[in-house]
Amino acid sequence: MSLSTFIDAISEGTLSRVYVFFGDEDFLKDEAEEVLAKRIKRELNGVEPDRIVFHANEVGPAEVEESCSYTSLFGGLRFLILSEYEQWNVKDQKRFATFLKETGPSPGAVLLIRTTLRKLPVTVKDIKSNVFWKPFERDLLRWIEKRLKTGGISFEREVPRLLMDLYAGEDVKDLRYLAGEIDKLVLYMGKGGAITTATVRQVCSAPPQAEWFRFIEAVSRRRAKEAMALSHIFLQADPRGAIGFLMILGNRLSDLFALRTAGSLEEQHWRSLINLCKRRKQPRLRKNDRFQLDKEIAEMRKELASLVPGALKGAITSSSPFSFVSRCLEAEAFTCEELAKAVSATASAECRLKSGEGDPMTELDVLLTKICIPGLLSR
């Protein structure tokens, strides 16, 4: 189920007794929770529901079960929210999931569980759930378009893509920043206004880390023209920013070098992991196939981490599940020797710029050419 379909189901469908929000994307969970609160409010003929929030690191299953079993003293529905369900140990997680399966909340309560897990430890029927990950590109574009239309404004065809490129970086938390910029445009234009790409550049804030991520991704995937084009755009406004780019690029290359080195020590495991990652990146995978691949990748990742020396374990375990697949494929595009020389070349260029030697644009162009075109670093 897509995010928009799920939120529409919350808003318009029959009210369920239990909702579960899985995954890491807290901002989208916040939005969906507010949609659910409005739906309950409609059920109460415009009266705000009694909202009670439990944090799993502060209460145990027994207290939440007790609250779920009560009916409201004043009639109507109680809106119960259990956050950070993953903070409970496995025994408590199973106990509460079994309670939901066998008993569940009273007719006078609606329960929302928020967790970073992918599923409950016990299968529970008749719940509405969704995994909140960062949307795929096509889904994110639809989300931007819908948010703009909800604000009552029209926009040029290129605007959603521009907003996504500027503000939806690799870090999923950038979606909150993106939403803020969209809302800023809506307030600026007013209902019935029309947004152009020029309006976006005039009204919106300077791009945050999202632009930097696009640059780093272009380099790590050896897209030389795109990397150079981005660096030229950024450096026209602030040539001194080259040092910042080189620092971030050096960190990414170091991470890839450590990951590629760990893989080279256990080549058979690495090859199996890369094959899984390639399959996971295929478009139009079915939901069950994605889930199974994620499970296999997590198992292979854990096994590989147990086999390499301690200093390299962090290279395998530090990144989020969302970005780990991309990191592996980026590292696989280089040899260990190429990455070692790329790290060294980046550090040398950074030192020259910090000491006032060389032109920032020239240093970046030469470095990016060496890194992105196979064979040049070795020469």
Side-chain angles (χ1 to χ4, degrees):
M1 181 184 293
S2 69
L3 172 64
S4 58
T5 303
F6 177 72
I7 291 181
D8 289 344
I10 292 177
S11 177
E12 304 300 335
T14 302
L15 198 61
S16 176
R17 294 262 93 45
V18 182
Y19 295 83
V20 186
F21 294 170
F22 298 106
D24 288 334
E25 184 41 70
D26 286 337
F27 171 65
L28 295 178
K29 289 180 187 177
D30 291 343
E31 290 203 325
E33 181 181 319
E34 289 309 310
V35 171
L36 178 56
K38 291 177 181 178
R39 174 68 181 84
I40 297 173
K41 183 177 179 180
R42 290 209 314 270
E43 196 80 6
L44 296 174
N45 297 318
V47 177
E48 289 288 344
D50 184 16
R51 191 184 309 206
I52 303 172
V53 180
F54 296 97
H55 298 279
N57 60 347
E58 299 176 355
V59 300
E63 186 173 343
V64 184
E65 289 170 15
E66 186 178 14
S67 293
C68 287
S69 301
Y70 286 154
T71 55
S72 174
L73 296 176
F74 305 101
L77 294 171
R78 302 166 75 234
F79 185 20
L80 308 174
I81 302 165
L82 172 60
S83 65
E84 300 174 329
Y85 170 77
E86 69 280 357
Q87 295 290 331
W88 282 343
N89 59 44
V90 175
K91 182 179 178 181
D92 286 345
Q93 290 179 19
K94 287 184 177 179
R95 168 183 168 165
F96 191 71
T98 302
F99 162 77
L100 296 178
K101 178 181 179 180
E102 297 177 353
T103 306
S106 71
V110 175
L111 172 67
L112 167 62
I113 301 174
R114 294 178 53 148
T115 175
T116 57
L117 299 176
R118 289 293 300 266
K119 63 177 182 178
L120 296 175
V122 175
T123 301
V124 182
K125 294 182 179 180
D126 302 324
I127 65 172
K128 290 184 180 178
S129 64
N130 192 69
V131 181
F132 286 79
W133 298 119
K134 181 179 177 182
F136 290 109
E137 183 176 292
R138 61 183 181 277
D139 296 322
L140 184 54
L141 284 171
R142 294 193 190 106
W143 179 77
I144 294 171
E145 291 170 356
K146 185 173 182 178
R147 197 174 185 94
L148 288 169
K149 290 176 181 177
T150 301
I153 56 178
S154 60
F155 47 88
E156 288 183 346
R157 182 179 179 182
E158 297 81 8
V159 165
R161 166 68 64 173
L162 176 60
L163 288 168
M164 184 179 73
D165 288 345
L166 287 176
Y167 301 107
E170 183 179 273
D171 183 351
V172 294
K173 300 304 178 188
D174 283 338
L175 290 180
R176 190 180 296 275
Y177 198 109
L178 169 61
E181 295 304 315
I182 294 174
D183 295 344
K184 185 191 297 183
L185 284 168
V186 171
L187 289 172
Y188 178 81
M189 298 304 301
K191 196 167 185 178
I195 297 176
T196 65
T197 54
T199 311
V200 173
R201 299 191 182 280
Q202 174 188 351
V203 174
C204 292
S205 306
Q209 292 183 350
E211 283 289 315
W212 296 55
F213 283 125
R214 287 181 61 211
F215 170 78
I216 300 300
E217 180 183 347
V219 177
S220 61
R221 295 188 180 181
R222 292 186 155 178
R223 299 197 294 259
K225 289 184 179 180
E226 180 183 350
M228 289 183 187
L230 286 168
S231 67
H232 286 195
I233 292 172
F234 304 150
L235 297 185
Q236 282 174 359
D238 182 14
R240 295 170 298 177
I243 295 176
F245 280 107
L246 289 176
M247 292 174 63
I248 295 179
L249 177 58
N251 289 335
R252 170 63 69 86
L253 292 171
S254 296
D255 291 342
L256 295 183
F257 178 42
L259 182 59
R260 189 70 181 86
T261 301
S264 68
L265 296 178
E266 298 291 338
E267 193 66 31
Q268 184 176 354
H269 285 79
W270 178 252
R271 295 265 66 83
S272 299
L273 182 59
I274 290 299
N275 289 334
L276 289 173
C277 290
K278 288 179 178 179
R279 288 167 56 193
R280 182 62 177 83
K281 279 293 187 178
Q282 291 177 353
R284 302 185 184 280
L285 281 175
R286 294 180 179 179
K287 182 177 181 181
N288 290 340
D289 293 336
R290 289 201 306 269
F291 176 75
Q292 183 60 34
L293 284 171
D294 287 341
K295 184 178 178 180
E296 292 179 24
I297 289 171
E299 291 173 352
M300 184 64 67
R301 180 183 187 181
K302 183 177 180 180
E303 187 174 350
L304 181 59
S306 69
L307 295 172
V308 301
L312 293 175
K313 292 184 187 296
I316 301 171
T317 60
S318 59
S319 58
S320 67
F322 177 82
S323 60
F324 180 71
V325 171
S326 297
R327 291 286 189 280
C328 287
L329 295 178
E330 289 172 10
E332 173 64 11
F334 296 86
T335 65
C336 286
E337 181 184 12
E338 285 177 327
L339 286 169
K341 291 183 177 180
V343 172
S344 177
T346 304
S348 297
E350 182 184 341
C351 287
R352 284 194 295 271
L353 290 183
K354 285 181 176 179
S355 63
E357 302 174 15
D359 173 67
M361 199 80 76
T362 303
E363 289 284 350
L364 266 179
D365 278 1
V366 172
L367 177 65
L368 296 179
T369 302
K370 286 182 178 180
I371 293 174
C372 293
I373 299 179
L376 281 186
L377 278 170
S378 298
R379 288 180 217 168

